[in-house]
Amino acid sequence: NSLQRKVLSTPQRITEMFVLLKLFNPLLGIRILTQHRDLLMQILKRNIASRYRGSVLGLVWSFAHPLMMLAVYTFVFGIVFKSRWGGAGFGDNNAAFPMIMFCGMAVFNVFAESVNDGLIVGNPSYVKKVIFPLEILPIGNVLTSLVFGLAWFVLLLIGTVLLLHQISWTMLLFPFTLFPLLLISCGVSLFIASLGVYLRDIQQLISILTQMLFFMTPIFYPISIVPEKLRWILEFNPLSPIVEETRKVLLYGQLPDPGVCLTSYVLSFVVFQLGLAWFMKTKKGFADVL
């Protein structure tokens, strides 16, 4: 009987193995983006149009918000506290600390806005009534966060030139340091969007974890001031190297570290593949829960 059960279960196990291999296919993400690129663009346009719908200034707020934040941080940290970022190489420039901090915030803001949204729960009609590629929703949300996040980086570049008097050809490498951020954001967003269907408390938990991650990322301080025995905690954070390498190419005029970049690319790709595989495996049960 036991031998018979094993023989009967073998085809099922082989089928499950092929399904798992299909989900972990490194080309799966590219195939999804190419097949649904028109739909993805429609979602992106809808998200951008609905962000400030009904407001007087509209898209101007996407620049006004980070500009006001930059002005406040420059006054508080640059003028009031006269904070300095050790080893930055900007001397006594009062704008150095706020600009370095603003760069870290711009990177983190893209990630935070990508994961703090109950996408599937908030769009039950896509799940119940329409044959719809649900995995496009988290990816579209990440791209929307990137579009609005570009306003932060535009202001950062302008401030770097006007306040820090710094401009370098390494700024052209910025997309290469930003790409791992998008992969990680997509992977985490896919995982959270799926988990949020089955566990409704996940959004409150993610909000708390995002705040904790904000202070565990070297945004307000350099990693060098953290005691060595605790430094591994920050280095374990996948956002830390992305923040550091982005500062190198945008502010310091330095080339990114090849080893750090390679590690970020590999880790971000793994996170994306795991998030996508989890979403594709669990989305079949969304309709039953919603």
Side-chain angles (χ1 to χ4, degrees):
N1 291 334
S2 61
L3 179 60
Q4 185 178 5
R5 286 196 298 270
K6 290 181 179 179
V7 172
L8 292 176
S9 62
T10 299
Q12 182 180 0
R13 293 179 178 178
I14 294 176
T15 302
E16 292 177 352
M17 183 178 65
F18 276 108
V19 170
L20 290 176
L21 290 175
K22 183 179 179 180
L23 291 177
F24 281 95
N25 183 359
L27 299 179
L28 178 59
I30 298 176
R31 186 166 68 248
I32 290 174
L33 293 177
T34 53
Q35 289 179 351
H36 306 293
R37 58 182 180 274
D38 294 334
L39 180 59
L40 186 61
M41 289 303 299
Q42 292 179 14
I43 293 176
L44 180 60
K45 292 178 182 178
R46 185 202 65 177
N47 292 344
I48 294 175
S50 62
R51 174 68 69 94
Y52 300 111
R53 181 179 298 164
S55 63
V56 177
L57 296 180
L59 290 176
V60 175
W61 282 114
S62 61
F63 287 92
H65 176 229
L67 182 61
M68 289 186 289
M69 296 288 289
L70 178 59
V72 170
Y73 290 140
T74 301
F75 175 76
V76 174
F77 292 98
I79 298 177
V80 177
F81 291 112
K82 300 186 184 301
S83 301
R84 295 293 181 269
W85 195 284
F90 294 111
D92 295 330
N93 193 327
N94 293 331
F97 187 94
M99 293 300 300
I100 296 173
M101 182 180 62
F102 188 79
C103 180
M105 291 184 62
V107 172
F108 187 86
N109 183 67
V110 174
F111 174 82
E113 287 199 1
S114 300
V115 301
N116 283 319
D117 196 347
L119 291 173
I120 306 302
V121 176
N123 296 277
S125 59
Y126 290 125
V127 180
K128 294 183 177 181
K129 300 179 181 179
V130 183
I131 300 176
F132 186 85
L134 297 174
E135 58 276 8
I136 291 296
L137 291 177
I139 297 176
N141 191 52
V142 173
L143 294 180
T144 304
S145 301
L146 173 63
V147 170
F148 288 106
L150 289 178
W152 290 65
F153 290 108
V154 168
L155 293 175
L156 176 66
L157 293 176
I158 295 175
T160 302
V161 175
L162 298 181
L163 301 178
L164 301 182
H165 311 294
Q166 177 86 359
I167 186 171
S168 174
W169 70 269
T170 58
M171 292 179 176
L172 299 175
L173 300 177
F174 169 62
F176 297 97
T177 63
L178 190 65
F179 187 69
L181 175 66
L182 299 182
L183 286 180
I184 289 179
S185 299
C186 284
V188 176
S189 183
L190 285 163
F191 179 78
I192 293 175
S194 171
L195 193 61
V197 176
Y198 303 98
L199 183 62
R200 298 301 175 88
D201 294 334
I202 191 66
Q203 284 307 125
Q204 285 72 22
L205 178 61
I206 291 301
S207 178
I208 297 173
L209 293 178
T210 302
Q211 293 181 17
M212 295 174 59
L213 186 64
F214 179 77
F215 290 101
M216 297 302 296
T217 305
I219 296 175
F220 291 92
Y221 54 87
I223 295 181
S224 58
I225 70 171
V226 180
E228 290 188 7
K229 61 180 181 180
L230 299 177
R231 198 173 298 173
W232 65 271
I233 300 176
L234 271 71
E235 294 175 347
F236 186 75
N237 178 2
L239 296 182
S240 295
I242 298 177
V243 170
E244 292 294 322
E245 297 307 309
T246 302
R247 283 172 175 154
K248 283 184 178 180
V249 299
L250 291 183
L251 301 180
Y252 305 154
Q254 300 176 1
L255 290 174
D257 186 288
V260 174
C261 288
L262 179 61
T263 303
S264 294
Y265 269 81
V266 173
L267 178 61
S268 62
F269 181 75
V270 171
V271 172
F272 173 74
Q273 285 295 126
L274 290 176
L276 182 59
W278 169 270
F279 190 93
M280 300 298 288
K281 183 70 175 178
T282 57
K283 75 173 185 177
K284 298 178 181 179
F286 290 171
D288 297 332
V289 177
L290 296 178

